[in-house]
Every structure is written in C-alpha cells, then in structure tokens.
Amino acid sequence: MGSRGFFLLCLLCIVKKGISSKGWSMHVPAEVTSEIGKTVALPCTFTHPHSTYDKTLTAIWRVKEPYNGTVIFKCIAHSSSDVCRTTVGLKNRYKLLGNPRQNNLSLQIDHVSWNDSNRYFCRVEFSGDLHDKYESRMGIRLHLIAPPRIVNISVQMDQDHAFHAKCTAEGEPLPTVTWAGPLSDNATSVSRPTAHHITKELQHLVLDGKYTCTAANSLGHAEGAVYFYKFKAGSGSWILILLFVALGIKLLALVVILGIGAFWKGDKFMATTTLSRQQRQESPYENFSRSISSVSRSLAERI
Ligand SMILES: *[C@@H]1O[C@H](CO)[C@@H](O)[C@H](O)[C@H]1NC(C)=O
Ligand SMILES: *[C@@H]1O[C@H](CO)[C@@H](O)[C@H](O)[C@H]1NC(C)=O
Ligand SMILES: *[C@@H]1O[C@H](CO)[C@@H](O)[C@H](O)[C@H]1NC(C)=O
Ligand SMILES: *[C@@H]1O[C@H](CO)[C@@H](O)[C@H](O)[C@H]1NC(C)=O
Ligand SMILES: *[C@@H]1O[C@H](CO)[C@@H](O)[C@H](O)[C@H]1NC(C)=O
C-alpha cells in the first residue's frame, strides 16, 4: 500500500518534470522586501536544456503579469563575449546585476517608490540558430516598507469658526498617529487611513500652545508640531498666529504663513515670518526627526 503510493508519486513527479520544463527552470523568490528610497535587487536565475549556448541572448523583465505585462527592462548580448546591451530601461533605474551567460538575470532597481510595488517577471530568450525562450510564471512580489514620515500638518477653521489640527503621516506598516498638547475635554480625533497614508484630526482646539503629532510604526517614529495661538483683538475679532514646525513640509508652512500674512498684515505676522525663516535655515529636511526637538526648543525659547 505504502510502496505503491510512493511509486505513483514518483511517476507523477517524473511525468510532471518531463512535461513542464524539459530542463528549463527559473528560480525566483516569491517576495522581496525593500524600504522606500533604497536600492533593491530582484534575484532570478535559470537553467536551460542546451549543453552550451553562446549565440544571441535576450534578458527581459516585465511587471504586473507574465507574458504580456509591460516590459521594464530588456538587454541583448550577441555573443558570449558581448556585454548585455540595454535596449529598454535605458537611463532608467533598472540595471541588470547578474551575468545572463552565467544563467543569472538578477535586476537592480534604484530608489524604489510606492509605484514600484508590483509583481516582476524575468524572461530569457535564445535566438540565432537555436530559438528557445522561458519566462517565470510565478513572479516576484516587491513588498515595500517605510518608516513613518509626517507628510502634512496644519490648523484649519471649520464653518462654525472652531479650529482643528490635521496631521497626515505615511509609512508601511501604516503608522499609528497620536496628537499631544494642551488638550481640552472635548477634543476628539478621527483617523482616516488610505494606502500608506493616515490622517488624524484634532477637533475643537481651544487652548493655546504646542500641539505635537507623532507617527510610529515598527520601523521608527516621526514628529511634527504646530503652535496655536489666539489673540483677542480690541474690536472682538480674532487674530490667529500659527507656527508650523513640521519640517519636511516647510514649503507648505511658508505658503500658509504668507497666506495669513496677506490676510492680516500685522506686526504679529512679521514675527511669525521671522521664526519661520529661522526654522527653515535650521532644519534641513533630511534631519527631520533628529533636529525636531532642538528646533522646537529654540522656537519655544523665542516665543
Ligand atoms: C494579457 O493577457 C490577458 C489574457 O491573455 C488579457 O486578458 C489581457 O488583456 C492582456 N493584457 C495586455 C496588456 O495585453
Ligand atoms: C546572481 O548575480 C547577483 C549579482 O551579481 C549575485 O549577487 C547572485 O549571487 C547571483 N546568483 C547566483 C545564484 O549566482
Ligand atoms: C506612478 O505611476 C503613475 C501611473 O502608474 C504615474 O502616472 C506616476 O507618474 C508615477 N509616479 C512616480 C513618482 O513615478
Ligand atoms: C496639507 O493639508 C492642507 C489642509 O488639509 C491642504 O490644504 C494642503 O493641500 C495639504 N498639503 C499637502 C502638500 O498635502
Ligand atoms: C467644546 O466644544 C464646543 C463646540 O462643540 C465649544 O463650544 C466648547 O467651548 C468646547 N468646550 C471646551 C471646554 O473645550
């Protein structure tokens, strides 16, 4: 009984091997994980049934689906001494890492972005006197991860003249976002996650002070802060000053501040601008998470 089962199983695997590949095979991992912005290598090696092959060889990589997905990379080597000359993917972020003459089609992708999250398929074609080709059907899934980054932080006025602060962070795994600050009793927050992005709103800002948004996931955390100050002007109209210490979105902060300035054109606005400029000088985007504490301290001292 047991030996008969084993015999059938062996027969099956011989038949399967004989039909499916005739010596062709592709070896790729099911998944490759990379951090956003980094360089990643997609491994792909193959075997072929020919004892030697030194004629024209074409290496191809597709995305999305096998056989008719978009070709993102293609190179052709005419002889065994010829390098594989890129014909598709020129001046691009794709580069062949492996030596296709050594049955290695590994591809490098520089500076991966969210857009690169896809399935990748390698293919090799022999031409010349011998026409033969093979493509991986399984494909490699490129899984992207990213430490948290504060994308946007702002304070806005509702229709009912109440203020709310909004913080948008990105990351994968999706970060958890928390607001900290002089929270009043009825301040509530709402999260709205979309792909890699999450927005958390702090409603009914009442108390003046520094409001800090923290985004955290397994890869790290990032912080942004907004200073919220309301001054009651003589005639009962509210003047609002907001200082943004969301480094990495300094352009946005400047735009918002200039917008406020255009609206109020007061002394208080001038002070805001100065602080904002100093903040711009002190806070290179790249050092966001490290410089945030010192910058917010210096801002706090000046206020
Ligand atoms: C790829 O092939 C599938 C099935 O053969 C077809 O439905 C699809 O439209 C094709 N896609 C392209 C881009 O040609
Ligand atoms: C394929 O080429 C890459 C890049 O040169 C190398 O890192 C990898 O080890 C090679 N794979 C095999 C199986 O030799
Ligand atoms: C991402 O892909 C879309 C379409 O697939 C394209 O329009 C957009 O320019 C790409 N963005 C980047 C940064 O590559
Ligand atoms: C930041 O958020 C504000 C308010 O929601 C919005 O007006 C602005 O366009 C956003 N900026 C960016 C760069 O997403
Ligand atoms: C609570 O929110 C309401 C508006 O919904 C506002 O009128 C009131 O001043 C707030 N009270 C406190 C203590 O924040």
Side-chain angles (χ1 to χ4, degrees):
M1 187 67 185
S3 64
R4 207 166 120 197
F6 179 71
F7 172 72
L8 273 176
L9 199 73
C10 274
L11 196 68
L12 264 176
C13 54
I14 289 163
V15 168
K16 193 166 175 240
K17 204 166 180 181
I19 290 172
S20 70
S21 56
K22 298 184 193 113
W24 273 112
S25 68
M26 285 280 183
H27 302 279
V28 294
E31 185 174 285
V32 168
T33 299
S34 170
E35 202 171 292
I36 288 287
K38 298 279 164 70
T39 293
V40 65
L42 304 180
C44 171
T45 55
F46 65 93
T47 63
H48 63 81
H50 313 289
S51 49
T52 56
Y53 182 76
D54 55 9
K55 301 287 171 19
T56 302
L57 178 153
T58 307
I60 293 173
W61 280 86
R62 295 179 199 281
V63 287
K64 210 162 165 185
E65 52 187 358
Y67 311 119
N68 68 354
T70 308
V71 172
I72 52 158
F73 180 87
K74 184 174 181 175
C75 72
I76 301 173
H78 288 288
S79 69
S80 55
S81 58
D82 196 13
V83 296
C84 205
R85 288 171 206 283
T86 306
T87 58
V88 174
L90 229 53
K91 292 189 206 155
N92 215 322
R93 299 175 300 127
Y94 307 107
K95 189 178 122 193
L96 200 70
L97 270 188
N99 181 351
R101 294 291 173 189
Q102 287 166 7
N103 301 352
N104 190 331
L105 304 176
S106 301
L107 185 78
Q108 175 176 301
I109 307 179
D110 289 338
H111 203 85
V112 291
S113 68
W114 295 120
N115 259 12
D116 296 318
S117 171
N118 216 325
R119 284 209 300 153
Y120 294 81
F121 303 86
C122 50
R123 175 188 178 89
V124 61
E125 294 179 356
F126 290 173
S127 47
D129 51 350
L130 190 116
H131 285 269
D132 212 348
K133 42 186 174 277
Y134 198 76
E135 179 162 341
S136 70
R137 217 171 310 156
M138 294 305 292
I140 307 168
R141 193 173 86 91
L142 181 56
H143 177 232
L144 298 174
I145 54 173
R149 187 173 73 88
I150 306 290
V151 177
N152 197 351
I153 181 167
S154 63
V155 170
Q156 288 165 337
M157 196 163 64
D158 310 330
Q159 296 98 315
D160 55 353
H161 299 277
F163 292 99
H164 66 268
K166 226 162 132 179
C167 175
T168 302
E170 72 167 22
E172 186 67 41
L174 198 69
T176 53
V177 178
T178 49
W179 274 105
L183 305 181
S184 63
D185 284 345
N186 60 0
T188 57
S189 55
V190 187
S191 302
R192 272 172 283 139
T194 57
H196 335 294
H197 287 84
I198 179 165
T199 298
K200 196 140 188 176
E201 221 172 276
L202 190 61
Q203 289 164 340
H204 303 303
L205 294 192
V206 176
L207 304 173
D208 289 352
K210 178 190 176 188
Y211 290 84
T212 306
C213 165
T214 305
N217 70 10
S218 51
L219 299 166
H221 77 280
E223 251 179 38
V226 59
Y227 288 82
F228 175 76
Y229 288 100
K230 275 190 302 182
F231 293 95
K232 188 121 192 215
S235 60
S237 65
W238 290 95
I239 291 177
L240 174 74
I241 289 189
L242 300 172
L243 303 181
F244 292 84
V245 193
L247 308 128
I249 55 161
K250 53 200 177 191
L251 185 67
L252 163 100
L254 192 67
V255 167
V256 172
I257 287 163
L258 290 180
I260 292 169
F263 200 73
W264 274 299
K265 289 191 175 69
D267 291 345
K268 293 185 177 75
F269 159 65
M270 294 310 290
T272 315
T273 315
T274 314
L275 285 172
S276 164
R277 293 237 174 85
Q278 278 161 356
Q279 179 224 314
R280 278 161 59 83
Q281 287 157 5
E282 285 173 22
S283 54
Y285 172 56
E286 294 74 16
N287 295 331
F288 175 26
S289 45
R290 260 170 283 131
S291 62
I292 178 81
S293 56
S294 64
V295 172
S296 38
R297 213 179 308 121
S298 62
L299 265 178
E301 276 158 18
R302 273 186 220 113
I303 286 164

